Amino acid sequence: MASDYALRYGLSDAEEAWRLRAEAFARDEVAPLSREADRAGRFPRALVPRMAALGLLRAPVAKAHGGAGAGALANALVSEELGRVDGSVRGFLAVHVGLVTQTVAELGTDEQRRAWLPRLMSGETIGCFALTEPGAGSDAAAVATRAREEGDEVVLDGEKHWITNGGVAGLAIVFATADPAAGRKGVEAYLVPTSTPGFSARPMEGHPLGHRASDHARIVLEGCRVPRAARLGPARGGFRVAMAGLDHGRLGVAAGAVGIQAACLEAATAFARTRRQFGQRVGDFQQVGASLAEMKVSLEASRLLVHHAARTLDRTGGPATAETSAAKLFATEAALRTATQAVRVHGARGYDDALPVERHYRDAVGLTIYEGTSEIQRVILARDLLGRDDGGGSTR
Ligand SMILES: Cc1cc2nc3c(=O)[nH]c(=O)nc-3n(C[C@H](O)[C@H](O)[C@H](O)COP(=O)(O)OP(=O)(O)OC[C@H]3O[C@@H](n4cnc5c(N)ncnc54)[C@H](O)[C@@H]3O)c2cc1C
């Protein structure tokens, strides 16, 4: 019999099967590790082969490329279910599958696909997406890492930071500029095996607020030589490669934000039903009940925006940049609000890591920053509404 979720949101049998598979994996295999991984600040790498065995690493990749062809909605449901339990493990997936595997599948040459997709989808090789630099965050076109052609090779020099999976990856998509004066038109993307001489990764120095079980690295490229055939996408076409990757990754982030909200609402509701003060359930105080009601509305609205973006991708084949940005903006801001409310509903019991709400709260902040901050999602949406300034016209 179809679940309540499948009936309410009109999932196909195949989509529901993916959701149930991810839900069981998250509950039975991820949840028991989450608190210790968060405390130790260590990525639970043993989960990668399990994700591969369940097909989660190949889910959205087209069957023509050896993937499962599950579609964007099924893949978003996987991220929602993992996000409900563990933002770091869900973050691994958004990067490895959304930013790396899907980008290679869509924009790689046949040779690049043959070389990397089987290894990425089996989990033998972990992928990372090396875009951000100390001097280039939101302004990705400002990357200073240089790509210089020398015969049939390209030499990469520069520094990246905050790269998720960076210390465990075997493959990095590195963004570099072939012509700093050309801005976004100078950017190129390269598929770089992390064993290449001149490539080094070390952990980020600080202790992060959230996503503590993610592997975040500072990557240094010093005379790192790759063949010219390692370029992903056309010459000077790297900025488009980055944006195409982020379209996929962002949907995973938005879906993860839905998962955080679902977990926080469930925990806060259970607590408000049982915790008694002043002789009554705390949930029966109007202010607490109103908080739960707001959390419920945010969750539903976020989930529908994610489903809408995913269904648009499934129907049209993409891109669905504006729909994805709207979902990411709304769902991640809602996750931060809802996680804050969930901690507060629990009082002091929400303030330590005995319960996962405080971890969700810390992770939710990161969701509003990476793969484009909330401000950048508004920039994307405003540009989509306004179109290009053709210099003509006046309101008077
Ligand atoms: C947990 C985590 C994981 C990450 N993983 C990766 C990864 O795998 N790969 C990778 O390449 N990067 C990764 N990042 C980096 C992330 O993508 C960047 O932090 C993000 O793009 C913002 O860049 P920045 O930190 O340099 O902030 P800045 O760009 O310096 O922004 C500072 C502030 O200015 C605002 N701002 C900037 N430009 C505008 C504008 N045009 N309009 C309005 N406001 C603006 C921003 O919204 C922000 O509030 C990760 C970051 C975190 C925290």
Side-chain angles (χ1 to χ4, degrees), residues 53-79:
L54 292 166
L56 307 185
L57 305 187
R58 56 175 14 101
V61 178
K63 284 186 177 160
H65 303 317
L73 181 55
N75 197 43
L77 295 167
V78 168
S79 284

Side-chain angles (χ1 to χ4, degrees), residues 95 99 128-139 160-165 208 210-211 214 216 366 368-376 379 383:
V95 172
L99 293 180
C128 72
F129 188 85
L131 178 61
T132 304
E133 300 180 357
S138 300
D139 186 4
K160 303 285 178 180
H161 74 170
W162 275 105
I163 307 306
T164 304
N165 302 344
H211 290 79
S214 292
H216 296 129
T368 66
I369 296 175
Y370 60 71
E371 303 207 21
T373 63
S374 291
E375 288 75 19
I376 292 303
V379 169
R383 275 195 197 135

Side-chain angles (χ1 to χ4, degrees), residues 81-369:
E81 294 302 337
L82 281 179
R84 183 193 275 259
V85 166
D86 192 315
S88 293
V89 175
R90 198 276 314 141
F92 161 83
L93 209 67
V95 172
H96 177 81
V97 177
L99 293 180
V100 179
T101 310
Q102 284 186 271
T103 308
V104 174
E106 282 178 16
L107 300 173
T109 60
D110 286 344
E111 198 183 325
Q112 289 169 339
R113 289 185 186 127
R114 265 197 306 276
W116 292 111
L117 288 181
R119 288 198 253 170
L120 290 166
M121 292 191 294
S122 69
E124 181 192 333
T125 297
I126 292 174
C128 72
F129 188 85
L131 178 61
T132 304
E133 300 180 357
S138 300
D139 186 4
V143 289
T145 295
R146 285 300 307 266
R148 288 189 187 81
E149 284 194 16
E150 278 186 21
D152 280 345
E153 292 184 323
V154 175
V155 185
L156 301 168
D157 285 285
E159 185 181 351
K160 303 285 178 180
H161 74 170
W162 275 105
I163 307 306
T164 304
N165 302 344
V168 290
L171 173 68
I173 302 184
V174 173
F175 294 88
T177 178
D179 179 2
R184 68 175 59 184
K185 292 190 177 143
V187 178
E188 300 194 327
Y190 288 91
L191 291 168
V192 183
T194 59
S195 57
T196 309
F199 184 107
S200 63
R202 57 185 158 87
M204 291 298 294
E205 299 78 13
H207 191 51
L209 174 69
H211 290 79
R212 289 187 178 164
S214 292
D215 182 284
H216 296 129
R218 182 179 292 281
I219 290 175
V220 175
L221 300 137
E222 278 175 314
C224 180
R225 281 174 187 274
V226 290
R228 205 176 337 174
R231 194 184 63 227
L232 180 62
R236 313 297 170 102
F239 192 79
R240 214 179 63 76
V241 174
M243 295 305 120
L246 287 166
D247 258 3
H248 294 301
R250 275 174 192 153
L251 192 57
V253 178
V258 173
I260 285 187
Q261 292 177 67
C264 287
L265 176 60
E266 192 185 341
T269 306
F271 185 81
R273 264 204 208 108
T274 50
R275 172 70 174 165
R276 300 185 78 82
Q277 287 290 279
F278 299 95
Q280 66 178 65
R281 305 185 302 180
V282 294
D284 290 327
F285 293 113
Q286 282 186 359
Q287 294 183 73
V288 176
S291 195
L292 296 176
E294 279 170 18
M295 292 160 83
K296 169 76 176 166
V297 174
S298 289
L299 167 63
E300 292 297 334
S302 302
R303 188 177 270 152
L304 291 173
L305 280 172
V306 169
H307 286 199
H308 174 61
R311 287 187 196 279
T312 303
L313 276 169
D314 284 337
R315 201 177 52 247
T316 65
T321 303
E323 289 83 354
T324 303
S325 278
K328 203 247 178 201
L329 171 62
F330 189 89
T332 59
E333 290 290 337
L336 183 52
R337 220 169 35 240
T338 288
T340 309
Q341 284 170 305
V343 168
R344 293 172 61 167
V345 165
H346 283 83
R349 288 170 180 79
Y351 202 68
D352 70 22
D353 71 356
L355 296 174
V357 286
E358 68 84 37
R359 176 164 48 82
H360 291 317
Y361 165 80
R362 290 186 282 105
D363 287 349
V365 180
L367 304 184
T368 66
I369 296 175

